Amino acid sequence: MKRKVFDKLVSAGGVVVVAVLVVAGALLMWGASFASSTVHNQLAEQQIFFPPAAAFATPKAGTEITPSMIPSVSKYAGQQLLTGAQAETYANDFIAVHLSEMPLGGVYSKLSAASMANPNNASLANYVQLSFRGTTLRGLLLEAYGFSEFGQIAQIAGICSFILAGLMSILVSLGLWHSRKVAANVELLSSRTKTAIAA
């Protein structure tokens, strides 16, 4: 095979790879944008706000703000919950803390079983409802967080696709440049190389 033909074939294959990478990058970036806007819009509709900064001044176990919340929850003080990162913090460092302070660790299945065993215990029935609501909200927020993480992964993958497309474009350009420089009668393998392979 002539070297010029080989260079053109490889370059044509490179063009196809560039096109695939560009399309993949565009789709991944669209997916990232969709995930980000969907998470933001869904969370915005819930109108959840972190406690104000003043609430973090005197953290105390058993109150709305516990000492464990200072490193994570306090950085969002007073903000509306709109991002996946905020959703994770609110779910794991705010709601989960309050659930854990309830009887039986706030575990819905345990509280429900205890309430069914003591149907006249109004306090226990109230804890069942609180646990159900808290656990449900926590699960929904963590789902939003997970969806936002998929969006971030798609964004990183999209950027990588564009970078790879750029690098492949450079290689394609070099291949086409080389095909113009090489003489039309030059073989891909020299006669000496062919003899060595045949041997």
Side-chain angles (χ1 to χ4, degrees):
M1 177 185 286
K2 302 292 183 188
R3 179 59 193 255
K4 186 181 283 289
V5 173
F6 176 78
D7 285 349
K8 287 181 178 177
L9 287 174
V10 171
S11 296
V15 169
V16 172
V17 172
V18 168
V20 169
L21 287 170
V22 168
V23 170
L27 289 173
L28 287 164
M29 294 304 282
W30 173 79
S33 175
F34 174 78
S36 177
S37 63
T38 299
V39 167
H40 178 277
N41 294 340
Q42 292 296 319
L43 291 174
E45 289 179 8
Q46 302 308 311
Q47 298 184 12
I48 299 170
F49 288 84
F50 285 87
F56 294 92
T58 55
K60 184 179 177 184
T63 64
E64 181 188 25
I65 305 299
T66 64
S68 69
M69 297 177 188
I70 298 301
S72 55
V73 183
S74 64
K75 66 183 175 183
Y76 299 119
Q79 297 180 24
Q80 185 175 2
L81 197 157
L82 297 171
T83 68
Q86 289 176 320
E88 181 195 24
T89 298
Y90 199 90
N92 288 337
D93 300 332
F94 189 73
I95 295 175
V97 170
H98 289 301
L99 286 172
S100 69
E101 293 175 341
M102 294 170 57
L104 301 174
V107 178
Y108 175 76
S109 59
K110 293 180 180 179
L111 286 168
S112 179
S115 180
M116 286 190 284
N118 299 286
N120 296 325
N121 188 329
S123 176
L124 201 51
N126 185 46
Y127 279 124
V128 170
Q129 291 304 311
L130 286 173
S131 174
F132 179 77
R133 287 187 294 222
T135 302
T136 300
L137 178 57
R138 182 169 181 257
L140 293 172
L141 290 176
L142 289 175
E143 186 175 336
Y145 164 68
F147 200 63
S148 73
E149 286 295 295
F150 281 122
Q152 288 182 353
I153 292 168
Q155 183 177 30
I156 292 167
I159 291 169
C160 289
S161 289
F162 287 133
I163 291 171
L164 289 173
L167 293 174
M168 185 60 74
S169 296
I170 293 170
L171 293 175
V172 167
S173 299
L174 290 173
L176 291 172
W177 173 81
H178 187 267
S179 72
R180 288 191 191 117
K181 296 292 181 188
V182 71
N185 62 345
V186 174
E187 291 286 331
L188 179 62
L189 299 174
S190 67
S191 57
R192 188 176 296 172
T193 306
K194 288 178 181 177
T195 305
I197 291 173

